[in-house]
Structure formats: C-alpha cells, structure tokens
Amino acid sequence: ETGVTQTPRHLVMGMTNKKSLKCEQHLGHNAMYWYKQSAKKPLELMFVYNFKEQTENNSVPSRFSPECPNSSHLFLHLHTLQPEDSALYLCASSQDIKYNEQFFGPGTRLTVL
Amino acid sequence: GENVEQHPSTLSVQEGDSAVIKCTYSDSASNYFPWYKQELGKGPQLIIDIRSNVGEKKDQRIAVTLNKTAKHFSLHITETQPEDSAVYFCAAITFQKLVFGTGTRLLVSP
C-alpha cells in the first residue's frame, strides 16, 4: 500500500445527485492532488493543494469542487455531473509541491448515468 | 506547455525477453522523469525515476535512460516476468506539474 487511501472505491450516481470523494494520506505530506484518468487519455491534473491552500485549478468545471480541511484529507464534491465525467479519479500526495515524487491512491471508479 | 508522447501503446513479449518503452517530451526545462506502473484496480506506483543531470539509472531488472539533447527517455525491463504485466506511464515535470504520457499496456506471456 502507498499510504494514500480513497473512498468509496466505486460510485454510481445520477446527473442530479450530489456526492463526495474522500482521500486520506498517512505519509505526513503537505501537498495533495486530484487527477482524472479516462480511457486512452493521459492522466489529467485537476487540482493541487499545498499546505491546505489551492495552488492549481486546471480549468476544471465548477461541478467539481475540491476541499482540503487539513494536509491529510482531500475531498472532491460532485454536483450535476455529466456522463462524460465517468472516469477513475485518483488522489496523490507528495512531501510538498517542490518534491516531485507523488504517491497515488487506488482511485474511485465513478460512473455517471 | 509540456507535451509527453509515449510509444508503443501496447507491447506483448514472451517471458524472459526484454521490453522497451519510449517517451518524448517538448519542454527543455523539464528536469524530472518518473515512470509509473499501474496494475488492474490500483493506482499508479512509482517504479523508477531519473533527473536531468543523470543519463542512466538502473534498479535490478529496470533501467531508465535519458537523452536531454533529443528530449527522449526510455524504460528498459530485462528478463520480463508475467507479474510485469501492467500499464506503464512515463511523465515529465515542469514548473512543479507532472505531465503524463498515454500509457503502454505490457503483456508478458509465460
């Protein structure tokens, strides 16, 4: 295990639902990341938090809303999603954004009906 | 911004053979190049990385080479085993952002 956990592992939701993805890291890191992984596409960086402050929003639609209450926890709140948002959502952490090595969680497989 | 291209998209080898995966990048300022292995149902795991001041790095059966002039780097796996079967991603970092390739699905047949 990498020390990064994600829940739930699988999620099916309708387009009008509101749900949240949770990530927790047990590595004492200060930077956390959300990535989207779709079939046959490179991993797409969505958000970056460093010491609880958002440092990157990679032009992500507002229906995705991140929250980082402390350096160990990261949430991704989902609202009014589209079927094309179905993907594997990966959380990662690193010591801070200056340290390149990132540790990934197992991901949440999201299906939007 | 950075663009990373990865080839091949799929690679099938016999157990014991070598496997080579190649990546090119566009931003000459990139200075860190990790390789990740992703098994089914798991997130990507770092297997080896190289920095721009080094041309080659080896860890048991895995090696990575970097050619900064040509802006390409490669992953070499020797004596492949069935458990090496997975999707492999290269990446390059620039301005503290990791940019990933599209992945190579490696299948090692016994």
Side-chain angles (χ1 to χ4, degrees):
Chain A
E1 298 302 322
T2 62
V4 181
T5 59
Q6 291 187 242
T7 55
R9 293 294 308 277
H10 301 273
L11 178 62
V12 179
M13 60 186 289
M15 289 190 284
T16 58
N17 292 158
K18 288 185 181 180
K19 296 286 184 183
S20 295
L21 310 185
K22 179 182 176 183
C23 175
E24 183 174 1
Q25 57 93 3
H26 310 273
L27 302 169
H29 289 168
N30 295 299
M32 296 188 78
Y33 311 79
W34 279 118
Y35 286 87
K36 177 183 179 182
Q37 187 175 33
S38 305
K40 300 185 179 179
K41 293 176 69 175
L43 274 76
E44 300 172 57
L45 179 65
M46 300 175 71
F47 302 104
V48 181
Y49 279 83
N50 196 42
F51 292 93
K52 300 189 299 178
E53 297 297 320
Q54 187 179 124
T55 60
E56 185 85 28
N57 177 338
N58 209 24
S59 303
V60 181
S62 59
R63 57 186 184 268
F64 296 90
S65 174
E67 178 189 1
C68 188
N70 54 61
S71 294
S72 299
H73 294 86
L74 185 65
F75 295 89
L76 187 63
H77 303 300
L78 315 173
H79 175 50
T80 321
L81 294 192
Q82 305 298 312
E84 58 264 30
D85 296 323
S86 298
L88 182 69
Y89 288 85
L90 291 161
C91 172
S93 72
S94 64
Q95 191 168 343
D96 67 42
I97 58 173
K98 294 181 182 178
Y99 286 84
N100 308 141
E101 186 175 351
Q102 294 183 18
F103 294 82
F104 284 83
T108 295
R109 173 68 61 186
L110 174 67
T111 302
V112 182
L113 301 177
Chain B
E2 177 69 281
N3 182 46
V4 177
E5 294 191 2
Q6 183 172 347
H7 301 280
S9 56
T10 59
L11 180 58
S12 294
V13 299
Q14 291 292 121
E15 183 176 0
D17 289 349
S18 294
V20 180
I21 303 171
K22 299 182 178 182
C23 288
T24 60
Y25 62 99
S26 60
D27 190 346
S28 57
S30 293
N31 57 12
Y32 174 71
F33 307 91
W35 285 88
Y36 285 84
K37 175 183 180 182
Q38 187 173 22
E39 297 174 290
L40 198 61
K42 297 184 178 180
Q45 286 199 294
L46 180 70
I47 56 171
I48 196 167
D49 56 14
I50 192 167
R51 299 189 183 275
S52 58
N53 58 346
V54 176
E56 184 174 355
K57 184 177 178 180
K58 192 172 181 179
D59 182 5
Q60 299 184 331
R61 297 187 296 107
I62 295 173
V64 57
T65 59
L66 171 65
N67 183 327
K68 282 217 73 179
T69 303
K71 290 191 278 191
H72 65 69
F73 55 114
S74 301
L75 178 71
H76 305 252
I77 306 174
T78 57
E79 301 172 31
T80 54
Q81 302 167 3
E83 50 266 38
D84 294 329
S85 296
V87 180
Y88 291 81
F89 294 93
C90 64
I93 200 160
T94 182
F95 299 107
Q96 300 172 348
K97 287 175 59 175
L98 266 180
V99 177
F100 286 84
T102 49
T104 296
R105 183 172 299 278
L106 174 65
L107 177 61
V108 181
S109 303

